[in-house]
Amino acid sequence: SLSLLAEVEGGELLLHALLVLGRAALAQRDSTAALETLGRAARALEAPALRGLETSEASGLRSRWSSWGELAQDLTALRLAEAGPDAARRAAVTAEGFREAARWKGRALLQGIAEYRSGARTPEAVRIRRQRAEALARRDRILERILEATREGREPGGIGAMKAEARSLLAKAGDLGKRLEEISPPDSALDLPRGVDGEHLAALLGPGTLLVEYAEGSSRLYAYAVGRGDCSFHDLGDRAAIEAQAAIHVARLSRPRPLATVEEILDSGQALFDALLAPFLERARGARLILVPAGPLAGLPFEALVAGTARPPRTWADLEFVLDRWDVAYAPSSGFVAASAAPRPGEGKALLLADPIYPAEGGEAEGPSGPETPAFLARGAARAVPEEAGLGRVERTREEALSLARLLLAPEEEDLHEEVGRLASRRSASLTGRRFELHLGGRASLDRLAGDLRPYSILHLAAHGFVDPQSPQRTGIALSFRAGEDGYLAIGDVLELVLEADLAVLSACETGRGEWRAGEGVQSLASAFLYAGARAVVASLWQVDDAVAAETMEAFYRGFLERGLPWDQALRESKLAVRRSAGPMGTARGFGSTGKASQASRAEEAGHPFFWAPFIFVGRSR
């Protein structure tokens, strides 16, 4: 049986046996045995048969065996303890542990980036991938028949011929893999990432930038801090306790009624700062931070952690948040940071969709329909807007989009300024300038996302958003509806888009939230847009206040269009402006939300992180 399992290379019985042995070796603090066992498991998990799996199949396998990633981090901690003060040995162990941390995050996302980047997905590469997948699938079916017969204690007929065919198919897949590597190295290398070298990543980050990748152990939470010429490992403490504290803090930040008090935010925010950032931030004052969260930390806005306070704190101005000290960007994995370095080829336009018409208004979308209608419109039942969604108009999204259009007008387009002003009173309208294409009301429909979207460098969607953690496929953004179509852009629909965008701005509720899947990260709209080809995404973590969202977005665009700020810094500046302001509130952009986001006035609640903390920047900044 062991011989047969070894031949299968990745059969789940073999992986289970190695997992048990690896845990036992770590419990006995036998790093040599644990290293050998984990190495054998890694080779099994990276076997050619697994590299041929479809994305959904590979994702399921990585989820089931994500414990290997946790054991690899526990082993790193054990080996560092054994290394003592030996600097060279500690550096080697840390570098290997960092590569393992990256190996267990975001396979599907990295694969999508490899396929959709310009020049990476050629017809020849697609053909070879398909042939290779077919060969490996046939081999897997043969091996499964052999394994099933062995489990039942019977010998299948012609076992010798079946094994010979399996070996032949494996050889064929190997030859195709070599060919794929020759014609499309990114497609081949990212099919199953081997991890990222800390020194290579540090060179990409540039001076003044610190990347922190969080990694889960079996019961501990770890972190790697990567800067210029340095990669350090940190044991942050009990994983369950930190995750529980994070859940409490997020609940306090995102609760609109009643808004959490200064004392509540200080209590959980300072404890999390001390646990998650303080161990390595003393040398990072004034630096940019790129954070790669793990597990439940993916829904935590680190900018809303409390880095300092006046005693006793009475107002929000008395608290010093991470936002006040550092520019913060997020990434789904360190591998994503390394893979997304290539800029967009050429200049593009901005596509702006805002203020959709929903059924309660009685109107309909006015966009084009016909042969160019996206294929996902035919799957209305699978994508239907959830019944609990109360879709009321979100009027501030129109003001937001018009402000952006004015900012994008070229100097020679003075005649369009008056036209932009007239759009404020027209329920459905479109306007095209040299640097933008704007669609409002009934024209802000799914049709606008049909076909080739690669000419657009910026995609801005301002509408209702909804997240369903129990059924992630229902998570989406609601655009204008048409008779027989619900206008709902779900995660699966986003994956079918053809993008080459530098930036996707999802100005809606909860677009950065989703189900956490071990080995893959958060299944959110933000992740889906990254997969589809966006290099960076601005998304939200909870229901955003309508008026504040419009204020944040206008300041964000002014930051990089007029002042030339990097995107993450522009978002930070816009959030700081909200934190210091006391303007009027609007409605929330989440389904089922009506009335004010809070009964308190903004004058009384100025600076509350509920208003400024939900928007986050995910990706590489420019």
Side-chain angles (χ1 to χ4, degrees):
S1 296
L2 286 175
S3 174
L4 180 61
L5 288 171
E7 181 180 348
V8 171
E9 289 185 331
E12 297 213 17
L13 290 179
L14 174 62
L15 290 172
H16 182 72
L18 292 174
L19 184 63
V20 172
L21 291 173
R23 283 176 174 160
L26 284 171
Q28 296 168 7
R29 302 190 68 77
D30 185 344
S31 61
T32 302
L35 186 62
E36 180 181 351
T37 305
L38 287 169
R40 189 178 177 191
R43 290 191 294 275
L45 283 167
E46 293 182 3
L50 295 191
R51 289 200 293 271
L53 292 176
E54 292 296 324
T55 298
S56 59
E57 297 173 309
S59 174
L61 184 71
R62 289 172 61 80
S63 296
R64 291 198 300 277
W65 295 103
S66 61
S67 297
W68 281 116
E70 298 171 358
L71 293 184
Q73 297 310 310
D74 290 334
L75 176 59
T76 299
L78 174 58
R79 295 177 68 199
L80 285 171
E82 294 175 345
D86 187 334
R89 185 180 173 191
R90 293 184 66 85
V93 171
T94 300
E96 187 174 339
F98 180 70
R99 284 192 293 270
E100 286 296 317
R103 187 196 304 268
W104 290 96
K105 289 183 181 177
R107 174 193 186 276
L109 177 60
L110 289 173
Q111 179 176 323
I113 293 169
E115 291 183 350
Y116 285 95
R117 282 289 175 263
S118 178
R121 197 184 202 199
T122 65
E124 179 70 3
V126 172
R127 183 184 65 80
I128 291 177
R129 280 179 62 92
R130 186 181 300 114
Q131 290 179 346
R132 185 169 170 270
E134 290 171 354
L136 291 170
R138 286 173 56 195
R139 176 180 181 267
D140 287 344
R141 287 193 293 270
I142 292 172
L143 293 175
E144 182 61 32
R145 286 168 55 193
I146 298 173
L147 185 59
E148 182 180 354
T150 303
R151 287 171 178 164
E152 296 175 358
R154 57 183 175 81
E155 285 289 325
I159 190 170
M162 293 169 66
K163 287 184 177 180
E165 185 180 359
R167 286 191 291 268
S168 175
L169 288 168
L170 181 60
K172 178 181 178 181
D175 292 340
L176 289 169
K178 292 177 182 178
R179 175 60 181 153
L180 182 63
E181 190 169 2
E182 291 174 1
I183 67 171
S184 181
D187 202 30
S188 173
L190 295 180
D191 200 30
L192 186 64
R194 295 176 175 83
V196 179
D197 182 83
E199 293 183 3
H200 172 66
L201 183 60
L204 293 175
L205 295 178
T209 299
L210 183 72
L211 181 142
V212 182
E213 173 138 17
Y214 296 90
E216 295 171 309
S218 299
S219 61
R220 310 289 291 178
L221 182 67
Y222 307 109
Y224 293 87
V226 181
R228 272 293 176 95
D230 181 42
C231 179
S232 57
F233 176 86
H234 305 264
D235 184 341
L236 303 181
D238 183 78
R239 169 181 159 183
I242 293 174
E243 291 177 351
Q245 186 70 66
I248 291 172
H249 193 56
V250 170
R252 290 172 175 173
L253 292 170
S254 59
R255 183 184 69 212
R257 299 187 185 91
L259 288 169
T261 65
V262 172
E263 291 75 15
E264 287 177 320
I265 297 298
L266 171 62
D267 172 61
S268 53
Q270 194 165 50
L272 283 171
F273 176 83
D274 292 341
L276 295 175
L277 289 177
F280 35 79
L281 280 192
E282 283 304 315
R283 56 190 175 89
R285 180 176 289 271
R288 289 182 63 248
L289 300 177
I290 299 178
L291 305 179
V292 184
L297 297 183
L300 174 68
F302 282 70
E303 299 96 315
L305 302 187
V306 181
T309 179
R311 295 289 183 178
R314 294 185 176 87
T315 68
W316 298 111
D318 294 329
L319 300 186
E320 184 181 30
F321 291 97
V322 168
L323 176 77
D324 300 316
R325 291 193 193 179
W326 295 281
D327 294 333
V328 177
Y330 298 84
S333 71
S334 52
F336 169 82
V337 176
S340 61
R344 181 185 188 278
E347 185 180 358
K349 301 175 69 172
L351 177 62
L352 315 175
L353 306 183
D355 193 16
I357 290 180
Y358 298 124
E361 273 191 75
E364 285 188 16
E366 298 178 13
S369 185
E372 295 301 316
T373 297
F376 49 73
L377 287 182
R379 301 197 305 273
R383 302 168 14 267
V385 175
E387 292 182 2
E388 63 272 23
L391 297 183
R393 184 182 178 187
V394 191
E395 295 188 49
R396 293 274 186 171
T397 61
R398 173 175 294 256
E399 298 175 22
E400 178 180 314
L402 293 177
S403 296
L404 303 185
R406 292 187 184 96
L407 290 173
L408 289 164
L409 283 172
E412 65 272 18
E413 295 180 310
E414 293 184 4
D415 57 318
L416 291 182
H417 278 278
E418 292 185 7
E419 183 64 26
V420 171
R422 285 193 289 269
L423 294 184
S425 58
R426 294 174 58 187
R427 185 64 185 94
S428 297
S430 296
L431 182 65
T432 299
R434 188 173 68 81
R435 297 195 297 179
F436 70 90
E437 185 178 318
L438 170 65
H439 300 287
L440 300 171
R443 299 188 181 182
S445 62
L446 286 175
D447 301 271
R448 305 299 175 183
L449 302 178
D452 189 353
L453 299 178
R454 285 176 294 182
Y456 301 104
S457 59
I458 295 176
L459 182 64
H460 183 97
L461 305 180
H464 274 301
F466 175 81
V467 64
D468 189 335
Q470 283 70 44
S471 301
Q473 69 274 14
R474 300 174 73 203
T475 294
I477 294 176
L479 298 175
S480 289
F481 82 106
R482 187 195 311 281
E485 302 166 0
D486 57 27
Y488 195 45
L489 182 72
I491 283 182
D493 307 329
V494 175
L495 298 178
E496 295 183 9
L497 300 180
V498 181
L499 303 178
E500 190 64 61
D502 279 328
L503 178 67
V505 180
L506 310 180
S507 186
C509 289
E510 304 179 306
T511 49
R513 285 188 57 217
E515 179 194 24
W516 171 264
R517 184 171 297 169
E520 294 302 332
V522 176
Q523 307 299 297
S524 67
L525 279 167
S527 296
F529 272 93
L530 292 172
Y531 183 103
R535 286 165 174 76
V537 175
V538 171
S540 63
L541 294 174
W542 57 77
Q543 291 190 3
V544 296
D545 178 87
D546 185 29
V548 176
E551 179 183 338
T552 302
M553 288 296 106
E554 181 174 359
F556 167 63
Y557 278 90
R558 286 189 181 280
F560 73 82
L561 289 173
E562 296 184 343
R563 299 169 58 194
L565 297 176
W567 293 330
D568 57 341
Q569 187 176 342
L571 184 61
R572 178 197 175 207
E573 293 291 330
S574 70
K575 292 160 74 168
L576 284 170
V578 171
R579 169 160 153 68
R580 296 162 184 160
S581 72
M585 293 188 307
T587 60
R589 293 187 185 177
F591 290 169
S593 299
T594 57
K596 301 294 185 181
S598 169
Q599 297 304 314
S601 71
R602 278 288 307 282
E604 296 173 353
E605 297 297 341
H608 196 296
F610 170 82
F611 297 105
W612 54 259
F615 283 111
I616 61 172
F617 178 86
V618 186
R620 285 293 300 273
S621 185
R622 288 182 176 80

